[in-house]
Each structure stands twice: as C-alpha cells, then as structure tokens.
Amino acid sequence: ADAEIASGAVDFYLAGSSRTRESGSKIGVHSWAGLFKTATDFPNSHKIHQFYIEYYIEMGFTPEAAEAFYFFTIHSAPANDIHWMSEDEISKYNLASK
C-alpha cells in the first residue's frame, strides 16, 4: 500500500473509533514546535505536555500508554523531520485497532 499519514494527521487517525491500516502503509511522527521552542526543550515533567497526553487518553489510551506514545513521538524526530514508525512500533503503541 502507498498510504501514509504523518504529523497532525496521526492525531486525527487516532480519533477514529476503528483504526485500520493496510499492510505497508506508513505512520510518521515527530516533535512539535512553537514560535521559539520545541517539545523537547521542556522537561518531561513540564505541564505543557499534559494537553497532548490527555488527548491520547481521550482517544482511548491508558494514561501510561498515552504518556509513552507521546514521549516516543517527540523524541523520535525533530519538528522539521519525520520518523516513519516500524511495524513493531505501530504494534507496540496499538495504533491500529484491526
């Protein structure tokens, strides 16, 4: 399959009640950036991360899984790049429901 989603589209994908994907489709993640800061400029304990973690919880992740996936994404690639997740990573974070 030639399908791919990346960046903010991954968050929309995770909002689906049923998340399917074809074998070989790609999911790309990276850190976010603001005007003069990126996510990794803040310590993991900083409250700025909570908004994103709470979103993943609302999408059905356990609190632990939400935190693990969020920190994986921000440390996987800088804001101006993309990390294409491996099949093992997609499975580890339970991104596809089927």
Side-chain angles (χ1 to χ4, degrees):
D2 294 331
E4 62 182 80
I5 58 170
S7 192
V10 175
D11 291 333
F12 286 123
Y13 171 73
L14 294 176
S17 58
S18 175
R19 300 186 306 263
T20 60
R21 60 182 286 269
E22 292 183 23
S23 179
S25 59
K26 296 166 61 175
I27 298 177
V29 295
H30 62 93
S31 181
W32 56 261
L35 206 48
F36 298 107
K37 299 267 188 185
T38 66
T40 55
D41 289 333
F42 300 92
N44 285 3
S45 60
H46 196 280
K47 66 182 179 178
I48 199 162
H49 300 297
Q50 201 57 41
F51 171 80
Y52 301 93
I53 293 167
E54 287 176 10
Y55 173 78
Y56 295 131
I57 293 169
E58 287 184 34
M59 296 307 108
F61 285 65
T62 65
E64 296 80 15
E67 190 171 299
F69 178 66
Y70 170 73
F71 287 115
F72 165 77
T73 65
I74 68 168
H75 292 288
S76 65
N80 62 352
D81 199 1
I82 292 287
H83 167 74
W84 295 106
M85 295 178 71
S86 69
E87 291 297 322
D88 286 344
E89 290 167 339
I90 292 168
S91 178
K92 176 181 179 177
Y93 295 106
N94 296 311
L95 299 191
S97 57
K98 294 184 182 182

